[in-house]
Amino acid sequence: ADFVKVAHPDFAFREAAEEACRNIGTMVEKLNTDVELCQSLRRLLADETVMSSLDPETRRVAELFMFDFEISGIHLDEEKRKKAVDLNVRILDLCNEFLIGTHIPNKIDKHVLPEHIRYNFTAEGNYLQVAGLHADCPDDLVREAAYKIFLHSNSQQLARLEELLASRNSLAQLVGYDTFAHRALQGTMAKNPETVGQFLEKLSEQLSKRTQKDFEMMTKMKMKLNPHNSMLMPWDHPYYSGVLRAERYNIDPGLYCPFFSLGACMEGLNSLFSQLLGISLYAEQTKRGEVWSEDVRKLAVVHETEGLLGYIYCDFFQRPDKPHQDCHFTVRGGRLKENGEYQLPVVVLMLSLPNSARGAPTLLSPGMMENLFHEMGHAMHSMLGRTRYQHVTGTRCATDFAEVPSILMEYFANDYRVVNQFARHYKTGQPLPKNMVSRLCESKKVCAAADMQLQVFYAVLDQIYHGKHPLKKSTTEILKETQEKVYGLPYVHNTAWQLRFSHLVGYGAKYYSYLMSRAVASMVWKQCFAQNPFNRAMGERYRREMLAHGGAKEPMLMVQGMLQKSPSVEDFVEALVSDLDHDFETFIMDS
């Protein structure tokens, strides 16, 4: 239902799925506040004899269920329990309303804008609609106008955000946590907000000099292109970092696309999985009515000795009403059935690839190719999870661990030895030259410190919003203060970026997860695969220590099993920062 409500072409299906999601959500909330069920579980957890006879996974799942019960306020008296249920329902509604609000365009009287830039925006009578930041537009004035209009504060959205943060805090305190962040981080790699704070602070310290250098380079470039107005502003960062990348490394996606046909990329993934894990992907015919759109492909995932492991439905192409987001959905989780058979996982991978011209294959830009590898990392996590319970299958694990397998795949996608196995010009069959791959990889490091600093700023903001309440200042004042302190580019009067921060819904108090997952993926890559990306023994260790457990094992234990040591916050920071260093060999080659 979660998948159908966003991706089905038929509105009636989407609406029915939305309703199903609500009903299931309500039912789960009811179960999480079922006192008899909870007491039964509590008796089990208190019985040492029974507990010691259970396998570690069953014990962990029992503890996770208990955690869900407690989060719903089951241990409270009836009045407080009812309050917890009401808060949960209210939070769900606020999340949906806030999410819708993050995407709604802003309107402005067209006469406010100079005539020569109006055509960049959609006209509606006397008004212009601004539906995004126009971050790639070469005209500084268009980006500035889009930034100030799209991010203009909105009192309704502000009220929703404030009520959402206050409700989350009330619920967390009602069920016994200091803050919502303490509640959200239970069971994660970081474990608590203190560790997250330390991680972000140390990372920010390590990045600060590099970020300053990046901002100086962008300012010089702005001076060159716009000498009248050369102060670097927040709407400049994405544009000028792109200009610098292009100027320094001439990365024209058009030069790369012919080497990355979708067929070649899928072959590359097949070959990589076969060498690393003994797994092959086979296209299967679908039955009538099995898929929601005729361009969806079904892949069977087959192991050389274990046989069929599961199915991946590939919904790769753009179509009207399909959201432009790349994501992975679990349709059916793996679990051990009562009869001893294993229920095979089924997932959907959704991308937004352009439909190919007649007769020509679908060609991917380097970014699309990397996204395909990323999403396939999630799919393999689902396919190779062999947990006893569906509750902890595949990607149903701690948020800050969930992105490790997908980000690790990006490292493979950026390694010449891997790319060289599949990147062939679709017309001539010629391989992608090595220096083109090196240039592409190096170009990604241009302004990468500033890009990472921006992510640190978002993560810090998220931690403050979900930290101690009542908040000392308004969410906008906190934004201004944090932006100037952590990010470094000036806050723009009358804007409220936080009202477009849609990740506050799904990643409340956990926005740091992406950075921490990247740090772990970087360590796994350097230690286990950088020497030989096709190392079968390492592939097997990766499957055994990390992919097989889903959320059935503590995330830090999985990381320890893979790296054979317990990484510190400093190790995480060092891994992220060392990725920013330019590769000397490429540098010389290009010079």
Side-chain angles (χ1 to χ4, degrees):
D2 255 335
F3 167 67
V4 173
K5 77 174 184 187
V6 296
H8 203 286
D10 183 336
F11 177 72
F13 271 88
R14 295 201 299 272
E15 214 174 22
E18 181 85 57
E19 179 65 15
C21 283
R22 264 200 303 275
N23 293 339
I24 294 166
T26 310
M27 188 184 84
V28 169
E29 273 311 319
K30 281 212 176 94
L31 288 171
N32 281 341
T33 49
D34 185 314
V35 179
E36 270 180 64
L37 205 51
C38 176
Q39 280 168 349
S40 171
L41 181 63
R42 194 168 265 145
R43 281 195 295 276
L44 175 90
L45 288 168
D47 189 328
E48 282 174 24
T49 326
V50 177
M51 281 303 277
S52 59
S53 72
L54 300 176
D55 60 276
E57 186 184 333
T58 302
R59 279 203 297 275
R60 177 159 167 87
V61 171
E63 284 159 5
L64 288 171
F65 276 138
M66 199 61 202
F67 174 59
D68 285 344
F69 275 130
E70 286 173 351
I71 265 182
S72 301
I74 194 97
H75 50 302
L76 306 172
D77 60 48
E78 201 165 333
E79 189 186 337
K80 282 184 177 160
R81 200 161 61 239
K82 186 182 177 321
K83 192 178 173 192
V85 174
D86 292 345
L87 274 168
N88 268 309
V89 171
R90 183 71 191 124
I91 288 167
L92 257 179
D93 288 343
L94 284 165
C95 282
N96 286 329
E97 289 168 24
F98 181 77
L99 207 50
I100 292 165
T102 60
H103 300 301
I104 289 177
N106 273 342
K107 268 195 212 168
I108 187 160
D109 185 329
K110 70 177 181 192
H111 301 101
V112 174
L113 291 184
E115 203 166 334
H116 71 280
I117 69 165
R118 289 178 198 165
Y119 75 91
N120 289 279
F121 308 105
T122 313
E124 230 184 56
N126 273 335
Y127 290 94
L128 292 174
Q129 270 208 356
V130 181
L133 291 173
H134 292 253
D136 298 330
C137 181
D139 188 330
D140 286 359
L141 190 59
V142 172
R143 291 196 315 279
E144 177 178 350
Y147 189 93
K148 289 177 171 173
I149 299 163
F150 187 64
L151 299 182
H152 190 77
S153 191
N154 170 310
S155 55
Q156 280 176 299
Q157 183 74 337
L158 195 59
R160 279 181 207 124
L161 176 62
E162 284 168 357
E163 191 187 343
L164 173 60
L165 298 177
S167 303
R168 279 175 167 174
N169 182 69
S170 302
L171 180 64
Q173 291 191 328
L174 187 64
V175 300
Y177 292 92
D178 286 351
T179 67
F180 179 79
H182 283 89
R183 177 199 140 162
L185 296 176
Q186 190 114 9
T188 58
M189 267 197 301
K191 293 193 168 70
N192 55 55
E194 291 70 33
T195 307
V196 175
Q198 235 186 341
F199 168 61
L200 294 172
E201 198 174 320
K202 290 199 157 101
L203 180 53
S204 201
E205 276 167 26
Q206 291 291 316
L207 287 172
S208 96
K209 279 201 178 97
R210 294 168 188 254
T211 301
Q212 273 323 105
K213 273 199 179 129
D214 286 355
F215 285 154
E216 281 161 23
M217 284 196 311
M218 291 182 215
T219 305
K220 271 190 191 145
M221 181 54 89
K222 187 173 182 181
M223 255 172 174
K224 196 166 118 186
L225 298 178
N226 185 0
H228 302 300
N229 189 1
S230 60
M231 185 178 168
L232 197 67
M233 296 301 280
W235 55 79
D236 293 324
H237 173 165
Y239 175 71
Y240 284 107
S241 56
V243 171
L244 283 162
R245 259 176 229 128
E247 184 185 65
R248 201 170 283 189
Y249 289 101
N250 179 26
I251 303 298
D252 172 9
L255 296 173
Y256 287 83
C257 293
F259 294 92
F260 294 139
S261 70
L262 179 56
C265 295
M266 294 305 289
E267 270 309 310
L269 284 162
N270 195 24
S271 160
L272 177 65
F273 292 146
S274 158
Q275 293 168 83
L276 267 187
L277 299 156
I279 282 169
S280 300
L281 308 171
Y282 294 103
E284 260 199 22
Q285 276 304 110
T286 53
K287 297 187 181 72
R288 197 168 155 229
E290 185 178 346
V291 291
W292 50 97
S293 177
E294 65 268 18
D295 55 8
V296 174
R297 296 288 171 264
K298 181 183 184 182
L299 297 179
V301 180
V302 181
H303 188 272
E304 58 194 20
T305 57
E306 297 162 37
L308 182 63
L309 297 178
Y311 292 106
I312 302 171
Y313 287 93
C314 302
D315 185 357
F316 283 173
F317 299 100
Q318 293 171 3
R319 62 172 172 269
D321 284 338
K322 179 180 167 182
H324 272 268
Q325 59 195 66
D326 297 343
C327 36
H328 160 276
F329 292 90
T330 303
V331 172
R332 184 174 74 185
R335 70 182 175 106
L336 193 61
K337 296 198 285 198
E338 291 75 7
N339 63 7
E341 285 173 22
Y342 199 77
Q343 171 175 298
L344 298 179
V346 175
V347 303
V348 175
L349 284 194
M350 191 164 94
L351 304 177
S352 302
L353 302 181
N355 290 291
S356 61
R358 198 163 279 157
T362 299
L363 301 178
L364 277 59
S365 67
M368 291 171 188
M369 183 273 281
E370 193 179 273
N371 283 355
L372 172 64
F373 271 66
H374 177 102
E375 295 304 331
M376 220 21 133
H378 285 308
M380 280 301 134
H381 198 183
S382 291
M383 292 297 115
L384 292 170
R386 279 301 172 264
T387 52
R388 187 170 169 183
Y389 304 98
Q390 206 161 195
H391 191 64
V392 289
T393 185
T395 54
R396 291 179 188 167
C397 56
T399 312
D400 55 6
F401 181 78
E403 290 295 324
V404 173
S406 51
I407 295 174
L408 181 61
M409 284 298 289
E410 294 176 21
Y411 285 87
F412 284 96
N414 285 299
D415 187 279
Y416 180 70
R417 294 159 295 181
V418 177
V419 174
N420 190 41
Q421 287 207 333
F422 69 88
R424 297 282 178 276
H425 196 289
Y426 77 103
K427 280 182 179 163
T428 64
Q430 137 201 21
L432 183 63
K434 185 172 182 180
N435 71 335
M436 280 179 72
V437 179
S438 311
R439 279 217 316 270
L440 184 63
C441 294
E442 287 304 293
S443 76
K444 289 177 185 167
K445 295 175 185 176
V446 176
C447 300
D451 295 345
M452 195 179 283
Q453 189 73 55
L454 182 60
Q455 295 302 313
V456 172
F457 156 49
Y458 295 160
V460 170
L461 192 64
D462 172 46
Q463 288 299 307
I464 298 172
Y465 284 168
H466 291 103
K468 208 150 186 52
H469 274 247
L471 296 172
K472 290 194 180 78
K473 298 177 172 169
S474 74
T475 57
T476 306
E477 285 167 325
I478 291 169
L479 170 84
K480 176 182 190 299
E481 204 172 89
T482 313
Q483 178 165 332
E484 286 168 359
K485 182 178 156 211
V486 180
Y487 179 37
L489 291 187
Y491 164 78
V492 179
H493 184 59
N494 268 339
T495 61
W497 178 83
Q498 78 277 20
L499 304 183
R500 301 288 184 185
F501 192 6
S502 56
H503 285 85
L504 288 173
V505 171
Y507 287 82
K510 295 183 189 179
Y511 191 84
Y512 77 92
S513 296
Y514 191 77
L515 287 164
M516 198 169 269
S517 284
R518 181 165 287 285
V520 173
S522 171
M523 289 155 95
V524 171
W525 170 258
K526 287 176 192 134
Q527 201 178 308
C528 309
F529 297 109
Q531 266 190 305
N532 173 10
F534 309 110
N535 185 331
R536 180 69 184 260
M538 280 301 172
E540 293 298 342
R541 176 154 117 201
Y542 175 49
R543 179 182 178 183
R544 187 177 63 245
E545 296 293 345
M546 281 186 137
L547 296 177
H549 305 289
K553 197 172 173 181
E554 252 190 68
M556 226 17 162
L557 291 176
M558 294 192 265
V559 176
Q560 282 167 19
M562 189 66 201
L563 299 174
Q564 299 183 333
K565 69 164 194 176
S566 183
S568 63
V569 166
E570 287 75 12
D571 292 333
F572 286 154
V573 170
E574 159 60 25
L576 287 170
V577 174
S578 66
D579 274 350
L580 303 172
D581 291 327
H582 283 279
D583 175 10
F584 199 58
E585 182 194 351
T586 315
F587 187 69
I588 290 171
M589 234 166 49
D590 279 339
S591 306

